Amino acid sequence: MSYQRSRKQKVGAKARRIQDRELARIERARRVRRATVRHVMLRVGVVVAVLAVLAGAGLVARAVVANNRRGPANMASDGIMISSTDGQTMTATTSAPLPDNGTPTPSADLASSGVTQVVAYLDYADPASAAFWATNGAGITQMLKASQGMFTLEIHPVAIPSARESFTPLPAATPSPAASSTPSPTPSPTPQNLQDAGYDYALRAASTFACVANGAPDQALAVNDALFAAQATFGTSGLTDDQLVALVQKAGVTAKGTSECIRSHHYERWVKQATARATTAVPFSGVPALGTAPLIVVGGHQYTGKVDDATAFTTIVLQAYQAASQAASAASGTPTPTPSDSATAAPTAGATAAPTSGATPAPTAGS
């Protein structure tokens, strides 16, 4: 009995050892599987995290690129609108930046409110644009100050990629025989750069103007003046970037980031897009697309006179003023005021037309 019991105990112990070894093997296999799964999951997690980081970085990068490619603020129409309500300071109409390759929003037609609007597409490397501004710029500034907000100027900086021709000014008046026996010679045109250097400078100068419109919009008109005044001082390559920075600083621009914006040509891509849009179509009924600069639109109508004829330009401005006054009167149901003789005649430099009682002051221009 005892022998049999001892034998059974041995058999039972051996079976338990076998069972224990099997259980241990199963546990080891389970732990290996768990470790393998953890390792795989860790790798998958790392991969997912890396992909998420890369995706996030890609989104950030795309956002940064999109932000860098936006147009300048305050130029949603591809131009900046300037007016003056106090007769002294210039104020720009603010707006959000235009997205890359976005569709500009044309400025509202304010004629029914009695506002005379001038829109100028100007190329800062173009002699004809410079001649227009040299002849009419001071008068336009005077109109802005004298109009109490009833006259606006919208500047569209463009860079025409075609060759630029030298501008020939109007011939000098032939003196009478009593004054001189030899007539004065007609001024010779100054040689201008054509497509290569001229286009490059036009892009950089327009980008400079956009930098100012973005960061210091109320100084845009002063910088526009300075850019055209500088055109007579440079050669075929235009001003350098450092000279452009100095120019805007001298014009009173102190906005942070403007110098870096100018040196990096930040808005050249936008200038190309805005110019392409203008050469395709402009938002004025009956006005052809931009072909050559300058393109001047007064009260919705193209100015077709000579760029250096102040009298012709003043005449069309006064006509637009009368049309705006009539539109405002029709909208309000009040009679159209009759302007005084001094308002309808071509004004001389520094003269300000005296409006009749109850009339909005008529803008005046320097000759």
Side-chain angles (χ1 to χ4, degrees):
M1 291 287 295
S2 61
Y3 172 75
Q4 290 177 349
R5 186 167 56 251
S6 175
R7 184 177 180 184
K8 288 180 180 180
Q9 290 174 345
K10 289 180 179 179
V11 171
K14 183 177 180 181
R16 284 195 297 273
R17 287 197 297 273
I18 293 173
Q19 184 179 20
D20 290 342
R21 284 196 295 271
E22 181 62 18
L23 290 174
R25 184 190 66 77
I26 293 172
E27 178 63 19
R28 286 195 299 273
R30 187 179 68 83
R31 290 179 178 179
V32 169
R33 285 196 301 272
R34 288 180 61 187
T36 301
V37 170
R38 283 199 302 270
H39 185 66
V40 171
M41 291 301 294
L42 179 61
R43 287 191 173 186
V44 170
V46 169
V47 171
V48 170
V50 169
L51 291 176
V53 170
L54 291 176
L59 290 174
V60 171
R62 284 194 293 273
V64 170
V65 170
N67 183 65
N68 287 338
R69 289 183 171 181
R70 293 187 308 175
N74 313 311
M75 300 188 77
S77 66
D78 280 348
I80 184 168
M81 182 182 288
I82 302 164
S83 61
S84 178
T85 56
D86 62 3
Q88 296 296 326
T89 57
M90 299 297 168
T91 303
T93 301
T94 59
S95 61
L98 191 67
D100 184 40
N101 280 318
T103 301
T105 303
S107 297
D109 185 351
L110 303 176
S112 61
S113 299
V115 178
T116 304
Q117 295 169 278
V118 173
V119 181
Y121 294 80
L122 303 172
D123 184 321
Y124 293 113
D126 173 55
S129 294
F132 171 81
W133 196 256
T135 303
N136 300 293
I140 289 174
T141 301
Q142 182 182 346
M143 295 180 208
L144 287 168
K145 291 181 177 180
S147 68
Q148 300 176 2
M150 303 306 289
F151 179 88
T152 66
L153 170 67
E154 186 172 320
I155 299 175
H156 289 245
V158 296
I160 307 295
S162 59
R164 291 167 175 78
E165 297 179 357
S166 297
F167 170 72
T168 303
L170 289 173
T174 303
S176 62
S180 173
S181 59
T182 305
S184 300
T186 300
S188 299
T190 303
Q192 298 290 333
N193 51 308
L194 299 180
Q195 180 153 345
D196 47 3
Y199 181 47
D200 173 72
Y201 176 67
L203 284 172
R204 292 189 295 111
S207 176
T208 295
F209 182 86
C211 289
V212 174
N214 180 79
D218 293 345
Q219 276 74 51
L221 184 61
V223 170
N224 176 79
D225 289 344
L227 286 169
F228 279 127
Q231 192 181 117
T233 68
F234 57 67
T236 57
S237 297
L239 300 178
T240 66
D241 292 341
D242 288 341
Q243 288 172 326
L244 286 170
V245 169
L247 180 145
V248 301
Q249 290 175 345
K250 187 176 180 180
V253 177
T254 58
K256 182 179 179 181
T258 303
S259 298
E260 180 182 352
C261 177
I262 293 170
R263 290 192 175 97
S264 66
H265 310 162
H266 186 76
Y267 289 115
E268 277 195 6
R269 178 182 175 88
W270 171 83
V271 173
K272 292 178 181 178
Q273 293 176 0
T275 302
R277 287 189 285 264
T279 55
T280 300
V282 293
F284 304 101
S285 178
V287 178
L290 174 68
T292 58
L295 172 61
I296 311 298
V297 181
V298 182
H301 301 283
Q302 182 181 7
Y303 169 65
T304 57
K306 292 184 177 295
V307 294
D308 60 345
D309 189 341
T311 301
F313 180 70
T314 300
T315 299
I316 193 174
V317 169
L318 292 176
Q319 289 172 351
Y321 164 75
Q322 291 298 318
S325 297
Q326 292 172 358
S329 297
S332 63
T334 58
T336 303
T338 301
S340 63
D341 292 339
S342 60
T344 55
T348 57
T352 302
T356 58
S357 176
T360 302
T364 59
S367 55

